[in-house]
Amino acid sequence: MIPIENYLVLSATLFSIGLMIVVIKRNAIAVLLGLELMLNAANINLVAFNLAHPERLDGQMFAVFVIIVAACEAAVGLAIILQAYRVFHTAVPDSISTLKES
Amino acid sequence: MSRADIIFLLPHLMLTLGAVLVMMAIAVRRNHFAVYVLTCLTLIVALYFLPKTASLPHNVGVLFVVDGLGVFNTMIIMLAALAVALMSYAYFDTREERTGEYYMLFILATFGACIMVISGHFVSFFLGLEILSVSLYGMIAYLRKRERSDEAGIKYLILAAFSSAFLLFGMALIYAATGDMTFEGLSGYFSAFDELPILVMTGVGLVVVGAGFKLSVVPFHMWTPDVYEGAPAPVAAFISTISKGATMVLLVRFFLAIDGFRFPVVLTIFTVISIASMVVGNILALRQQNVKRILAYSSIAHFGYLLVAFIAADELGVEAVNFYLVAYFATMLGAFGVVTVLSHPERDAELLDDYRGLLWSRPALATVFVVTLLSLAGIPLTAGFVAKFYLLASGISTNQWLLVILLVVNSIVGLFYYIRIVAVMFDSAEEREARPAGYVGNFATLLILVVLLVWFGVSPQGLIDVIRNLVGVG
């Protein structure tokens, strides 16, 4: 059996990669991809650590909910990005700046 | 799920039913007024079905804890939602956008907030928060033709999703270390420790980051002014009251359960956040010319104040948090209500110039705004003063002297920018274009809010008793 620490290392690595993508990438769609990666990193943790309590399924159940939430977030997110693209003709949030300190 | 469980969750079920009904009503025929009435009815019916205090507390499975704290805050959230709904009608009626879907998102967001305040498990915590935020994305970007609304939507989307990923990872780490996700189970686990293991500490830290974003406390506040400025005024009112209040109640429940303030690390983190929020919020507000941004920074500072009572974390502290939330809700709703009423179909009334001479041209409205600003500043005879007094009392009783002193100093700094808005309203009147006709719902809401603000300021005892009874039960 794979030692439980390995799951932790894997999920932390994935989370960090997702974090890097969100911070570095400028395109909003790439940022959404990074966010999905971060959520799924947490999912790996939830499912893996359910192994320690096989009689309870709370970790796996939570993971299913997270998948649903991630799908909703992506759907609404893409809709908003599309709308912003229609108005601003760009999907790069940094180059949109109608809101400023006065 | 037993019959009793369903009865205790009836208010929440009514909200979901209302959202579905609104969706169907839009599919049949688009009628703004009908959808609006349906929304208000949903909220009123949900309020009617709130559980009676005598039967509390009641656990629904492991997910929900319907106790005094939860029921009281569900009530406050629904009343605040009702006020926002009344404001929204006038606001969206004068704008060309399609209006129906707004109310569906609105009911769902309220539902998410109501789930948060009764959640006793990470799953309900996360789902409530996500229902609230995903609905808010849509609400913020609702005025599609307005550039700034779209920009605010995209900013909120990215940052909120980012912070909920942190929150989720934090929960996963706590679960990894403890193998439990209920607040009750975690409380047993945490009490066994004098020092937090590194994995749990990281987890708690990430949860604080996620929740701190929702509360918009420094250093997670960057989005606040932009989103408040870009979002439609009623939505800004919703974010500043319901979204923040629900998160605060949830944090109170979580940290009381795990008794988080036994650990010096947690205490230090929250003390730093509180001080930073007070100072940064007030200082940045000083130079603003935009009323919505001033209110945004002011709300950042207010949650810095509120954390003083949160850190106290005893019975008095919880009472203070609840009282403060009521006063803050009424005040912020009043302030954004005035902004809503004055808003022009093309743009919101957000520049200081929009308020010049308001006292002479619209005396009643100006009076309402003055009362809310004084309450925000914490002047005696308003609810804001009693609330701040309560915070000070709970801070002093737990010997948080540094926080108490900073709270007082910051309140004085805050006075300056609130009074500046009042001063602008006193200026001589100038010619202004005619405003769209008023709506009864708007004025009734504002009147009730002002009466409440003064009433809680003059004789707070009634509200204090209610809070003490309810919170004492849990």
Side-chain angles (χ1 to χ4, degrees), chain B residues 249-333:
Chain B
V249 174
L250 188 52
L251 272 191
V252 168
R253 193 190 287 288
F254 182 58
F255 277 91
L256 278 186
I258 66 172
D259 196 9
F261 293 106
R262 271 192 318 123
F263 309 107
V265 184
V266 178
L267 190 64
T268 316
I269 291 174
F270 275 104
T271 311
V272 170
I273 290 179
S274 167
I275 293 173
S277 304
M278 285 191 243
V279 173
V280 173
N282 277 320
I283 287 179
L284 290 180
L286 283 178
R287 297 187 48 207
Q288 291 301 321
Q289 296 297 321
N290 184 314
V291 173
K292 272 168 130 186
R293 289 184 96 92
I294 292 179
L295 288 175
Y297 284 119
S298 145
S299 83
I300 294 173
H302 274 273
F303 273 80
Y305 303 154
L306 187 49
L307 285 181
V308 175
F310 174 60
I311 290 167
D314 51 2
E315 199 156 337
L316 183 65
V318 177
E319 266 172 53
V321 168
N322 278 293
F323 191 94
Y324 200 88
L325 282 181
V326 175
Y328 172 82
F329 272 30
T331 314
M332 269 294 169
L333 289 173

Side-chain angles (χ1 to χ4, degrees), chain B residues 380-392:
Chain B
L381 295 184
T382 58
F385 171 74
V386 183
K388 221 168 247 177
F389 187 80
Y390 228 136
L391 293 188
L392 283 177

Side-chain angles (χ1 to χ4, degrees), chain B residues 8 50-57 66-68 71-72 466 469-470 473:
Chain B
F8 275 94
L50 277 179
K52 304 286 168 289
T53 41
S55 53
L56 299 174
V66 186
D67 59 359
V71 170
F72 180 73
V466 171
N469 281 335
L470 277 173
V473 172

